[in-house]
């Protein structure tokens, strides 16, 4: 163990992936000493699958993590080698930023950002066992260091809990290629009698970019001007930008997949866990979308100093020969060489309904779960949970109230509420469609929504707090000025209020007569407020009704069979999920507004009685 390590760290974080890093950093920013234990210090910030950050819904999480001074956005901007803005033809509420990252640069950036936190200590060791006494976490037993005491523990085990990797009919224990699974820790957790299940995820083969015929492919240049995730602005020097390329599968590709389906562990029965519906393997795509004659593939470079390419869109666990035949059936890849095989990995996860909204395990005081252990998929979802869990572990030890982000104020809140109230049946992925209040939860206003709250908690620096305040003051001052300004109209028509003029779909602040000199972000915020204003006002009324529902507690002893008029399906869903409030019940998939009304009437009668 390193010299000078505190004998009893206040917070122990297990795992150095995206969730573990954000958990450790959040607890440290709140003033707690942290010990982060990981299998390999070289793997801190490792991008196990696609080297990319952001995307639809996910970029909102990245910006929210950044608004709270987290690590992910800063690392992404230091490592981003290709950027895209998605949904540019749609409104700003559903636009998203996505960056292809250099794997090595990203890992280095994360390590540097973690080591810049003086309260974080790193140790390379395997956590084999949690020490729980009287339903309270007391520490963990490490393979080399032995017993390490702690007052709170955040477990971010990723895909390592009893992980098994599959390629064709071959399987091997492992959480990812080249890394052993956490077998003893998985066995220890199962003894805690928490609700456990199995999920699976996968990755495509990697290709030697020197063997790809780029002349046959569609080139996709990086976005200009170059975007950034960090709301304080990008670093002074940014990596060289490169292009990505597009190709697609074809009928020959699909025939190869169908011919080898019996050899795929996904279809042979070797894997029992459900896979991610929104990021399916090529086996699933060919089977579930049999009417499709092609599926797009994005060829994404792994870094600036490597020839390896990530073929996004053909995640597979087919046998080696089938993977090679599949790749070479695709335009531009006829001579492609595979540098690594794709594989599927199956692992333990724990039903997140066993957690409270602070991501604390209800039956074990001081224990928090974050990341794929809660049934999610994706770096961004993991990092978001890590931030919430790490912050709450530190707040609890400081004797402060738990921080639970709300659904109406953040995608963080949507994520946590979806997990803890509804659970998962497949790996959970964030989308903008999951957020009822997405018109006001844009990726570009995350600091306006969260930074002041983060400052109150103690999570954010003065620099970030002051920058968010300046941005807010700039926007509010110009909105107040525009409320008194009119815009000349053509012909003999009377002048139009400036705010109404900006509400038109094609209107832009940059074309507004008499406009002020504003930052680009402030102008975009004003445009969005004007265009979405009436809809957001309607949402506010809806939100008030939802808050009333959230305040209505469903008693733990409530017998849903006694609620007159409920369908058997609604009763079964309510018994299965046991929502804590009427608001959580209203968000259960398949529970109708009529069923919610019947529940409310039942609660009213119960109170009167």
């Amino acid at each position: 163990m390193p010299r000078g390590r505190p004998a009893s760290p206040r917070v122990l974080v297990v795992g150095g992936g995206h969730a573990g890093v954000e958990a450790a950093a959040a607890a440290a920013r709140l003033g707690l000493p942290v010990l982060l234990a990981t299998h390999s210090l070289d793997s801190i910030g490792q991008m196990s699958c696609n080297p990319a950050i952001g995307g639809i819904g996910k970029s909102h999480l990245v910006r929210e993590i950044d608004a709270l001074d987290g690590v992910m956005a800063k690392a992404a901007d230091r490592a981003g080698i290709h950027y895209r803005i998605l949904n540019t033809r749609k409104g700003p509420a559903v636009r998203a930023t996505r960056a292809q990252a250099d794997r090595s640069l990203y890992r280095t950036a994360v390590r540097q950002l973690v080591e810049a936190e003086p309260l974080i200590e790193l140790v390379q060791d395997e956590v084999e066992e949690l020490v729980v006494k009287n339903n309270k976490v007391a520490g963990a037993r490490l393979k080399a260091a032995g017993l390490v005491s702690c007052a709170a523990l955040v477990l971010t085990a990723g895909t390592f809990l009893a992980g098994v990797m599959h390629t064709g009919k071959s399987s091997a224990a492992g959480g990812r290629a080249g890394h052993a699974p956490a077998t003893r820790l998985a066995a220890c957790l199962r003894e805690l009698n928490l609700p456990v299940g199995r999920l699976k995820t996968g990755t495509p083969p990697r290709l030697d970019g020197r063997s790809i015929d780029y002349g046959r492919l569609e080139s996709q240049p990086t976005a200009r001007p170059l975007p950034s995730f960090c709301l304080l602005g990008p670093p002074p020097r940014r990596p060289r930008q490169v292009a990505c390329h597009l190709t697609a599968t074809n009928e020959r590709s699909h025939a190869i997949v169908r011919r080898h389906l019996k050899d795929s562990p996904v279809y042979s029965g070797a894997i029992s866990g459900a896979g991610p519906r929104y990021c399916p393997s090529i086996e699933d795509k060919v089977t579930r979308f049999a009417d499709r004659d092609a599926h797009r593939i994005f060829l994404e470079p792994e870094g600036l100093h490597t020839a390896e390419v990530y073929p996004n869109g053909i995640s597979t666990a087919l046998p080696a020969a089938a993977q090679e035949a599949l790749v070479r059936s695709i335009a531009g890849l006829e001579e492609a060489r595979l540098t690594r095989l794709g594989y599927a990995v199956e692992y333990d996860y724990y039903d997140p309904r066993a957690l409270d909204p602070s991501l604390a395990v209800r039956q074990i005081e001081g224990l928090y779960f974050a990341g794929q252990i809660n049934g999610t998929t994706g770096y961004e979802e993991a990092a978001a949970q890590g931030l919430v869990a790490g912050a709450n572990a530190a707040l609890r030890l400081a004797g402060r109230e738990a921080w639970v982000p709300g659904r109406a104020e953040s995608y963080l809140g949507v994520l946590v509420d979806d997990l803890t109230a509804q659970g998962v049946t497949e790996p959970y992925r964030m989308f903008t469609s999951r957020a009822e209040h997405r018109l006001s939860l844009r990726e570009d206003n995350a600091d306006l929504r969260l930074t002041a709250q983060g400052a109150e908690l103690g999570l954010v620096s003065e620099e970030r707090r002051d920058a968010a305040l300046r941005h807010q003051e700039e926007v509010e001052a110009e909105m107040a000025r525009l409320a008194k300004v009119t815009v000349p109209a053509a012909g003999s028509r009377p002048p139009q209020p400036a705010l109404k003029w900006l509400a038109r779909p094609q209107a832009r602040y940059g074309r507004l007569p008499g406009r002020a000199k504003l930052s680009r972000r402030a102008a975009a915020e004003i445009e969005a407020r004007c265009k979405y204003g009436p809809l957001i006002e309607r949402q506010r009324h809806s939100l008030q009704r939802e808050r009333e529902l959230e305040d209505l507690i469903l008693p733990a002893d409530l017998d849903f069979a006694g609620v007159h008029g409920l369908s058997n399906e609604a009763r079964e869903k309510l018994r299965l999920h046991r929502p804590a409030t009427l608001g959580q019940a209203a968000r259960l998939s398949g529970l109708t507004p009529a069923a919610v009304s019947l529940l409310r009437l039942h609660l009213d009668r119960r109170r009167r009685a």
Side-chain angles (χ1 to χ4, degrees), residues 46-52 103 201-204 206 302 310 315 379:
Q46 176 79 20
M47 303 179 104
S48 304
C49 194
N50 188 6
R103 277 188 196 278
T201 188
T203 190
R206 307 303 197 269
E302 298 255 333
Y310 183 98
S315 173
Y379 307 144

Side-chain angles (χ1 to χ4, degrees), residues 14-139:
V14 180
H18 305 279
V21 161
E22 297 292 353
R29 293 200 301 279
L30 286 169
L32 274 291
V34 178
L35 179 65
L36 190 158
T38 178
H39 280 80
S40 169
L41 292 180
D42 294 333
S43 297
I44 288 177
Q46 176 79 20
M47 303 179 104
S48 304
C49 194
N50 188 6
I53 297 293
I56 304 299
K58 292 170 174 282
S59 69
H60 294 68
L61 289 173
V62 179
R63 289 282 180 82
E64 290 178 1
I65 292 167
D66 182 64
L68 295 164
D69 241 348
V71 170
M72 179 169 271
K74 301 168 193 171
D77 282 344
R78 293 187 190 184
I81 58 175
H82 177 95
Y83 285 83
R84 290 184 66 206
I85 304 296
L86 309 177
N87 282 346
T88 53
R89 295 182 181 179
K90 297 182 180 178
V94 293
R95 284 180 202 151
T97 305
R98 184 181 186 276
Q100 192 70 20
D102 180 302
R103 277 188 196 278
S104 178
L105 289 178
Y106 186 86
R107 192 169 58 244
T108 298
V110 170
R111 179 77 177 266
Q112 289 172 342
L113 290 163
V114 170
E115 290 183 336
E117 290 284 355
L119 289 175
I120 297 178
E121 183 180 0
L122 304 175
V123 62
Q124 181 170 294
D125 206 340
E126 181 182 353
V127 175
E128 296 186 322
E129 182 182 355
L130 303 188
V131 179
V132 177
K133 297 178 180 178
N134 299 320
N135 294 326
K136 183 176 181 179
V137 73

Side-chain angles (χ1 to χ4, degrees), residues 11-25 34-39 43-45 48 127 130 153-161 176 182 185 189 347-348 350 359 361 367-376 379 381-391 393:
V11 178
L12 174 60
V13 175
V14 180
H18 305 279
V21 161
E22 297 292 353
V34 178
L35 179 65
L36 190 158
T38 178
H39 280 80
S43 297
I44 288 177
S48 304
V127 175
L130 303 188
L153 189 150
V154 183
L155 184 56
T156 68
T159 58
F160 284 82
L161 293 175
R176 64 175 172 234
L185 180 58
L189 285 171
Y347 54 93
D348 282 357
Y350 285 82
L359 298 184
V361 177
L367 179 60
Y368 296 78
F369 285 174
Q372 285 177 286
I373 190 173
N374 289 337
T376 61
Y379 307 144
E381 292 85 348
Q385 294 169 73
L387 189 150
V388 173

Side-chain angles (χ1 to χ4, degrees), residues 325-374:
L326 166 65
V327 167
R328 293 186 172 181
S329 70
I330 296 166
L333 307 183
E334 291 87 351
E335 304 296 326
R337 294 187 295 272
L338 276 62
T339 56
R340 312 179 200 215
L341 289 175
Y343 62 90
V345 58
E346 190 178 23
Y347 54 93
D348 282 357
Y349 85 100
Y350 285 82
D351 189 338
R353 289 173 297 179
L355 310 177
D356 69 26
S358 73
L359 298 184
V361 177
R362 286 195 180 94
Q363 70 185 60
I364 302 172
E365 187 180 345
L367 179 60
Y368 296 78
F369 285 174
Q372 285 177 286
I373 190 173
N374 289 337

